[in-house]
Amino acid sequence: MARGKKIYEGKAKDLFEGPEPGTIIQYFKDDATAFNAEKRDVIDGKGVLNNRLSEYFMVGLGQIGVPTHFLKRLNMREQLVRACEIIPLEVIVRNYAAGSLAKRLGLEEGTQLPRPIVEYSYKDDSLGDPLVTEEYIAAFGWASQQDMDDILSIALRVNDFLAGVMYGVGIKLIDFKIEIGRVYEGDFQRLVVADEISPDSCRLWDIESGQKLDKDVFRRDLGNLTDAYSEVARRLGVLPKNATPMQKPTLIN
Ligand code: 5GP
């Protein structure tokens, strides 16, 4: 499918105009960044895995009635999505303490939270995506009260879905981040899950061993990121068991 002109260059994805008005092509790159892009690398095969995994989660959400921007996967690295206006918030859902929450409250990573906690960060790399309250969101007009009610409900439904799917393959969903977009249909707007859902934006721990199978492997130098993401994809049946498409050819001299 012919790509139009590039409309956005992100850290892990580029966006191009799609073939029809109101569509966008998301191109998944191999670039990995962390700590507000202070740490960066290129990880062979990451984009291919995230394209597949995000497709898997978005399609599953659609099947249980949670609207998403996903239309179809086009090839190894590209997917066609609906154009939407991204609400400038990172919506984070946490089931166990980890990362910034563990640090903020002095909790041991892995402590189960009394109930899922939903929190919001203002999407601005130059500020390091600061945590914000609903007061900020209302005062600055980033989202209406009706939007916030819908966002909370979507976030919790995504959490139940992802946590269940992961539990089924022996993985604990520690936390995740989603982005929400507005799609306009005539005079109406609808909120959809946008961007991507992948091990780049979730924390996933093996239930038995506690092994990390997410971007913390890169953030904390814990091993090979592609191996971790491939393991998630393999367990979910997204990649055939014996597929090794991510490995570089071995050079024989
Ligand atoms: P934390 O606030 O603990 O750093 O992150 C909470 C969860 O949200 C983690 O699963 C993390 O991967 C995800 N997350 C937070 N901010 C970002 C971001 O800017 N990009 C991505 N890909 N994920 C994020």
Side-chain angles (χ1 to χ4, degrees):
M1 191 173 287
R3 274 192 225 151
K5 71 170 194 285
K6 191 187 275 189
I7 49 181
Y8 176 78
E9 176 144 5
K11 286 176 284 188
K13 293 186 297 299
D14 291 338
L15 303 183
F16 297 86
E17 281 174 352
E20 312 282 343
T23 64
I24 283 180
I25 293 175
Q26 275 198 153
Y27 178 94
F28 287 75
K29 302 192 281 192
D30 282 343
D31 303 51
T33 62
F35 312 119
N36 210 8
E38 275 170 34
K39 179 178 167 109
R40 50 174 75 231
D41 204 348
V42 176
I43 315 276
D44 262 356
K46 180 174 87 79
V48 174
L49 283 158
N50 281 352
N51 186 22
R52 289 271 182 173
L53 285 163
S54 198
E55 171 194 19
Y56 180 82
F57 297 128
M58 295 284 184
V59 167
L61 285 170
Q63 282 173 353
I64 62 157
V66 178
T68 79
H69 72 160
F70 183 82
L71 293 171
K72 67 173 177 176
R73 187 171 56 79
L74 299 173
N75 55 45
M76 298 276 275
R77 288 188 184 270
E78 292 177 328
Q79 51 182 245
L80 188 68
V81 300
R82 291 190 68 169
C84 52
E85 184 184 289
I86 298 286
I87 295 178
L89 296 173
E90 296 196 332
V91 180
I92 293 168
V93 185
R94 302 178 184 273
N95 299 304
Y96 296 84
S100 67
L101 176 72
K103 206 167 160 190
R104 195 177 315 122
L105 298 187
L107 294 170
E108 190 181 339
E109 287 209 312
T111 308
Q112 186 162 17
L113 300 173
R115 59 172 208 188
I117 294 177
V118 181
E119 67 184 41
Y120 307 98
S121 298
Y122 179 55
K123 244 176 83 68
D124 185 327
D125 283 342
S126 67
L127 300 174
D129 301 334
L131 186 69
V132 291
T133 66
E134 290 196 44
E135 269 292 290
Y136 292 44
I137 297 168
F140 291 110
W142 296 324
S144 67
Q145 188 54 54
Q146 178 63 54
D147 287 340
M148 292 312 292
D149 292 347
D150 292 348
I151 290 172
L152 180 63
S153 148
I154 290 172
L156 292 173
R157 291 193 70 195
V158 173
N159 187 45
D160 286 346
F161 170 78
L162 283 182
V165 167
M166 291 303 178
Y167 182 75
V169 295
I171 294 173
K172 213 189 255 189
L173 177 66
I174 302 297
D175 57 30
F176 66 91
K177 181 265 299 185
I178 50 172
E179 295 185 20
I180 303 289
R182 290 194 175 94
V183 172
Y184 294 97
E185 283 159 2
D187 288 344
F188 295 97
Q189 69 145 44
R190 219 154 54 92
L191 298 185
V192 298
V193 179
D195 190 51
E196 71 177 278
I197 300 178
S198 74
D200 266 10
S201 50
C202 302
R203 285 199 173 90
L204 306 170
W205 295 6
D206 179 76
I207 288 179
E208 295 290 323
S209 67
Q211 186 193 353
K212 293 181 174 51
L213 300 170
D214 56 60
K215 201 166 139 188
D216 276 350
V217 171
F218 169 72
R219 294 187 187 103
R220 303 179 188 188
D221 293 322
L222 298 176
N224 184 307
L225 193 71
T226 313
D227 288 351
Y229 288 20
S230 297
E231 177 61 14
V232 176
R234 189 191 63 75
R235 289 195 200 184
L236 292 169
V238 172
L239 288 182
K241 282 194 175 55
N242 54 0
T244 53
M246 309 317 154
Q247 286 171 6
K248 283 187 177 164
T250 309
L251 291 175
I252 302 167
N253 48 27

